Amino acid sequence: MYFCVTFTYNKMEKKKVTLQDIADALKLTRSAVSKALNDHPKMSQKTKEAVQKMASELNYKPNQLAAALRNGKSKLIGVIVPAANITFFSSVIRGLEESVNNAGYSVILTQSHDSVEKEKEIINTLIESRVDGVVAALGLNTKDYSHFEKLKDEQIPLVLFDRIIKNFGVGTVQIDDFKGAYDAVSHLIENGCKRIAHLGGHQHLVLYRNRLDGYKAALKDHGITYQPELVNLSDLHHEDGRNAMQKMLDLENAPDGVFCSSDYAAVGSLQVAREKGKNVPIDFKIVGFSNEPFTSYLEPDISSVDQSSVIMGHKSGELILSAVTCSDTEFSPQNVVLNPTLMIRKSSKLFS
Amino acid sequence: MYFCVTFTYNKMEKKKVTLQDIADALKLTRSAVSKALNDHPKMSQKTKEAVQKMASELNYKPNQLAAALRNGKSKLIGVIVPAANITFFSSVIRGLEESVNNAGYSVILTQSHDSVEKEKEIINTLIESRVDGVVAALGLNTKDYSHFEKLKDEQIPLVLFDRIIKNFGVGTVQIDDFKGAYDAVSHLIENGCKRIAHLGGHQHLVLYRNRLDGYKAALKDHGITYQPELVNLSDLHHEDGRNAMQKMLDLENAPDGVFCSSDYAAVGSLQVAREKGKNVPIDFKIVGFSNEPFTSYLEPDISSVDQSSVIMGHKSGELILSAVTCSDTEFSPQNVVLNPTLMIRKSSKLFS
DNA sequence: CTGAAAGCGCTTACAG
DNA sequence: CTGAAAGCGCTTACAG
């Protein structure tokens, strides 16, 4: 599978330079040096400058571990996502890392792989690492929240995004899934669809419930009767989209459009519709969810609900930072709801 | 842009339980408790059990910060990527996190945004965080490596992946880019291409040099003369692919196929070829690089060189762990070269 | 098999 | 404006 080229180098121990070394060099005490370095108000400018100079000369690197232990805060934010290589999550991570990094915090990244067991382990590890806060999206199968309660017990602030827990008393960041779905389905109706299918996600997750509700509401408001056989719930992977569409397009009264709660399911739908001889968008229209970059590369490109994932990350970062840095005994976690944007592309337009 | 719902909860201070608390409860000393918890050989089974029991009763969580300070190792691995939301990087991160996590290490994720300045800052932060090792892919503009030298000065092991530095005396993980390119171009030739273009990356990065070399070698071995005007070097984004292809297809002697060092550039090429009335793959054939998931969703789906990114992450994890846990004074960093796999799809096949 | 002691590198309340 | 001292929570070499 691979081959290796190796060579050796000498790994010799070298003493790390500490506050004491700077103090010695300058005939000061550790405390003075510490204060100078931390820009303490009651320190003469002269001493500060001398210390700064010596620190960089000696190539001093403060030991954050020691500072963290002493201060009782690690400047570490733990992040839990199901998998780091799903575009939506990696985009949130991107935004999150940017925003907390700006404030001098680092991100510890963990993956639950949608396993509750793993989620529990991670939370223990994060507590032991003494992270100052945790930002998380629930695993697909997480229905019991006791491990998240533990964070509360330890007084570690928590912010949930996208896959959130309702009324859990923690900060949350989500998009308005109801509105995203409502807009998408209304758009399909306005472009001539009469029978719209919905490929949705598991209903124990709030966001998928909200999307289904938005779908139903849009139908109702446009005088279309809700048909349970046009709704399929799954993990929403590419294959799930294919399977669902295979069945639905074989219905006697097949749908003429579909609103998918995931772009992967939407691509699957597009492929199957084509295989069954449908012309998309003329015979069959599609809207996906998440606005994954690839949706715009397809032919026809697929309409999708953008959930501004990088911004969701930024916002999650802001929330966790405000919780972490808040010194009040009374703290009010915010629940942020971002506005979704329907990106209209060829897959759903009447005249393309 | 968003609205907020807020409410308050009471943030009261609670004492964390420490070794001392367990010791007090059991009339033991901290040292005894520490040894019991760390499964020290010279501890009676009875004590160990009693300590374990009390620890979980008191809901004890060891303070990793304190342990790290004392042990001189943080069990933290720093990761530097240009951006976390590029599929290739997020996949490597996925694999890396999995493998180091299995060994009890956590990942600190950072992003350089292809900025040398940022890269320098990150390395300082990681040193201050006392990470036990660093895994990194170079930024696109990083030509000076002095900040990576710093890691050596601090005796922090480094593993570079994909965008590596040659002969830097550190562990590296890459795919055989030469072979990947060679195979891709040979495949195009075998499927009838006579004039093959190459959209390549900046040549100060070894991997892009290797791919260009592979391209040239394949041409040569098949008796085709290398034509500089058919090579375009860029950042390889979607737009770069479009721009390059716009120009090339207007050449008097336009290419009949293209090997792109990125899938994003490949999609751009596909779009432009279509816009110019080419039938892909009949008139014009395309092979990309990285095997991004979306390449298989397109119509025609795009052939691409798979660089087994998750495995690259696993391998990087293994290398950094072996460097971190190695106690020898002599350590030999490995240079791992993974085998690329050409994924043949419709965009490059003679008879599709 | 168990305990007393020292120390990792920092910071801060206190005293001068 | 500066210093001496204590302590964050752990671990380990040493003594018994």
Side-chain angles (χ1 to χ4, degrees):
Chain A
M1 184 176 90
Y2 58 86
F3 58 88
C4 302
V5 189
T6 69
F7 56 97
T8 63
Y9 71 87
N10 211 342
K11 194 177 169 182
M12 46 166 192
E13 278 309 315
K14 210 174 68 183
K15 257 326 249 171
K16 290 258 163 72
V17 8
T18 71
L19 283 184
Q20 188 68 64
D21 299 316
I22 302 178
D24 290 349
L26 255 31
K27 307 275 184 221
L28 285 170
T29 57
R30 268 175 303 164
S31 21
V33 176
S34 171
K35 281 174 204 158
L37 250 20
N38 290 317
D39 211 22
H40 191 94
K42 296 195 181 165
M43 265 284 150
S44 71
Q45 200 52 39
K46 206 170 47 174
T47 316
K48 282 184 190 170
E49 276 164 19
V51 169
Q52 289 289 5
K53 187 150 163 281
M54 184 55 69
S56 73
E57 253 172 46
L58 294 179
N59 199 19
Y60 169 72
K61 309 276 178 198
N63 185 334
Q64 284 303 339
L65 255 24
L69 176 62
R70 170 62 227 239
N71 294 332
K73 34 194 161 180
S74 60
K75 294 265 184 177
L76 253 25
I77 301 291
V79 179
I80 313 175
V81 293
N85 62 337
I86 291 173
T87 311
F88 170 68
F89 292 121
S90 66
S91 299
V92 174
I93 291 168
R94 181 199 167 119
L96 180 74
E97 197 278 332
E98 282 168 6
S99 77
V100 305
N101 177 67
N102 277 339
Y105 285 73
S106 296
V107 160
I108 291 195
L109 178 67
T110 68
Q111 308 178 88
S112 69
H113 297 300
D114 281 321
S115 145
V116 185
E117 267 323 302
K118 188 80 206 194
E119 227 170 48
K120 290 183 183 172
E121 278 174 36
I122 288 172
I123 286 182
N124 275 329
T125 310
L126 291 179
I127 292 174
E128 294 180 1
S129 303
R130 296 296 190 264
V131 293
D132 291 338
V134 173
V135 175
L138 295 191
L140 226 37
N141 311 304
T142 305
K143 298 172 188 175
D144 164 62
Y145 310 131
S146 52
H147 45 305
F148 285 102
E149 295 279 3
K150 273 203 205 166
L151 290 171
K152 287 192 191 171
D153 295 347
E154 304 282 340
Q155 281 129 51
I156 299 176
L158 172 64
V159 167
L160 293 167
F161 69 90
D162 194 53
R163 300 187 185 171
I164 68 165
I165 308 171
K166 249 186 156 166
N167 302 322
F168 196 60
V170 300
T172 58
V173 183
Q174 58 189 143
I175 58 151
D176 189 338
D177 290 289
F178 179 94
K179 177 168 185 295
Y182 188 95
D183 291 351
V185 174
S186 300
H187 161 76
L188 284 170
I189 296 170
E190 283 151 17
N191 280 266
C193 291
K194 304 282 183 224
R195 283 179 61 76
I196 300 171
H198 173 49
L199 306 193
H202 301 296
Q203 295 296 297
H204 64 270
L205 287 171
V206 184
L207 81 169
Y208 292 125
R209 266 201 321 267
N210 290 342
R211 291 181 196 172
L212 179 56
D213 289 346
Y215 162 82
K216 286 181 184 169
L219 292 183
K220 191 171 171 213
D221 289 358
H222 291 83
I224 298 179
T225 316
Y226 167 66
Q227 315 259 12
E229 76 269 24
L230 290 184
V231 172
N232 177 282
L233 303 181
S234 70
D235 284 356
L236 289 171
H237 297 311
H238 175 235
E239 273 309 304
D240 299 313
R242 289 192 58 96
N243 294 339
M245 213 33 63
Q246 295 277 13
K247 281 182 213 142
M248 288 205 190
L249 288 180
D250 283 347
L251 285 178
E252 198 171 333
N253 216 337
D256 56 5
V258 64
F259 162 58
C260 305
S261 272
S262 123
D263 284 331
Y264 295 94
V267 181
S269 301
L270 172 62
Q271 291 174 335
V272 170
R274 267 227 198 88
E275 287 161 22
K276 294 203 177 275
K278 301 274 185 192
N279 181 328
V280 176
I282 309 214
D283 310 330
F284 188 77
K285 298 185 178 57
I286 302 175
V287 177
F289 213 106
S290 288
N291 194 23
E292 297 274 348
F294 70 77
T295 53
S296 68
Y297 299 150
L298 299 171
E299 183 54 42
D301 45 2
I302 299 185
S303 301
S304 187
V305 179
D306 183 78
Q307 43 188 342
S308 41
S309 37
V310 176
I311 293 174
M312 198 178 277
H314 284 144
K315 209 66 209 167
S316 303
E318 285 172 32
L319 286 205
I320 197 66
L321 286 174
S322 70
V324 162
T325 53
C326 166
S327 51
D328 296 355
T329 48
E330 296 280 312
F331 180 71
S332 315
Q334 281 184 49
N335 297 87
V336 174
V337 180
L338 299 170
N339 206 3
T341 313
L342 177 61
M343 310 296 292
I344 299 175
R345 302 197 180 96
K346 289 202 207 97
S347 72
S348 64
K349 269 191 291 192
L350 197 49
F351 308 109
S352 60
Chain B
M1 184 178 90
Y2 57 87
F3 58 88
C4 301
V5 188
T6 69
F7 54 96
T8 63
Y9 71 88
N10 211 340
K11 193 176 170 185
M12 47 171 193
E13 277 309 315
K14 211 174 65 184
K15 258 324 252 174
K16 289 261 163 71
V17 8
T18 71
L19 283 184
Q20 188 67 64
D21 299 315
I22 302 178
D24 290 348
L26 256 30
K27 308 273 182 224
L28 286 168
T29 57
R30 268 175 304 163
S31 19
V33 175
S34 171
K35 282 174 203 157
L37 250 21
N38 290 319
D39 211 23
H40 192 95
K42 295 193 182 166
M43 265 281 150
S44 71
Q45 200 52 39
K46 207 170 45 175
T47 316
K48 282 184 188 170
E49 276 164 18
V51 169
Q52 288 291 3
K53 188 152 161 282
M54 184 54 70
S56 73
E57 254 173 45
L58 294 179
N59 198 20
Y60 170 71
K61 310 274 177 199
N63 184 333
Q64 285 302 339
L65 256 23
L69 176 61
R70 171 60 227 237
N71 293 332
K73 35 193 158 181
S74 61
K75 295 262 182 180
L76 253 25
I77 301 292
V79 179
I80 312 174
V81 293
N85 62 338
I86 291 173
T87 310
F88 169 69
F89 292 121
S90 67
S91 299
V92 174
I93 291 168
R94 182 199 165 119
L96 179 75
E97 197 278 333
E98 281 168 6
S99 76
V100 305
N101 178 66
N102 278 340
Y105 284 74
S106 296
V107 160
I108 291 193
L109 178 68
T110 68
Q111 307 178 89
S112 69
H113 297 300
D114 282 321
S115 144
V116 185
E117 267 323 301
K118 187 81 206 191
E119 228 169 47
K120 289 184 184 172
E121 277 175 36
I122 289 173
I123 285 182
N124 275 329
T125 310
L126 291 178
I127 292 174
E128 295 181 1
S129 303
R130 296 297 190 262
V131 293
D132 291 339
V134 172
V135 175
L138 294 192
L140 225 39
N141 310 306
T142 305
K143 299 172 188 174
D144 164 62
Y145 311 132
S146 53
H147 44 308
F148 286 101
E149 296 278 4
K150 273 203 204 168
L151 291 171
K152 288 193 191 168
D153 295 346
E154 303 283 338
Q155 282 128 54
I156 299 176
L158 171 64
V159 167
L160 293 168
F161 71 89
D162 194 53
R163 300 187 185 170
I164 68 166
I165 307 171
K166 249 185 156 165
N167 304 321
F168 197 59
V170 300
T172 57
V173 182
Q174 58 188 143
I175 59 152
D176 189 337
D177 289 290
F178 179 94
K179 178 167 183 294
Y182 187 95
D183 291 351
V185 174
S186 301
H187 161 76
L188 285 170
I189 297 170
E190 282 151 18
N191 280 266
C193 291
K194 304 280 182 227
R195 283 178 62 76
I196 300 171
H198 173 49
L199 307 193
H202 300 298
Q203 296 296 298
H204 64 271
L205 286 171
V206 184
L207 81 168
Y208 292 125
R209 266 202 319 267
N210 290 342
R211 291 181 196 171
L212 178 58
D213 289 346
Y215 161 83
K216 286 181 185 168
L219 292 182
K220 192 171 171 211
D221 290 357
H222 290 83
I224 298 179
T225 315
Y226 166 67
Q227 315 259 12
E229 76 269 24
L230 291 183
V231 171
N232 176 282
L233 304 180
S234 70
D235 284 356
L236 289 171
H237 298 309
H238 175 236
E239 273 309 306
D240 298 313
R242 289 191 58 96
N243 294 340
M245 212 32 65
Q246 297 276 14
K247 280 183 214 140
M248 287 206 191
L249 288 179
D250 283 346
L251 285 179
E252 198 171 334
N253 217 336
D256 55 6
V258 64
F259 162 60
C260 305
S261 272
S262 126
D263 284 330
Y264 294 94
V267 180
S269 300
L270 172 62
Q271 291 174 336
V272 170
R274 267 227 198 88
E275 288 161 20
K276 294 202 177 276
K278 299 275 185 191
N279 182 330
V280 176
I282 309 213
D283 310 329
F284 189 76
K285 297 185 179 56
I286 303 174
V287 177
F289 213 107
S290 289
N291 194 23
E292 297 274 347
F294 71 76
T295 53
S296 68
Y297 299 149
L298 299 170
E299 182 54 44
D301 45 2
I302 299 186
S303 301
S304 188
V305 179
D306 183 78
Q307 41 186 345
S308 40
S309 38
V310 177
I311 293 175
M312 198 178 276
H314 284 144
K315 209 67 211 170
S316 303
E318 286 172 30
L319 286 206
I320 197 67
L321 286 174
S322 70
V324 162
T325 55
C326 165
S327 51
D328 297 355
T329 48
E330 295 281 310
F331 180 72
S332 315
Q334 281 183 47
N335 297 87
V336 174
V337 180
L338 298 169
N339 206 2
T341 314
L342 178 60
M343 309 297 292
I344 299 176
R345 302 200 180 95
K346 290 202 208 93
S347 72
S348 64
K349 269 192 293 195
L350 198 47
F351 308 110
S352 60

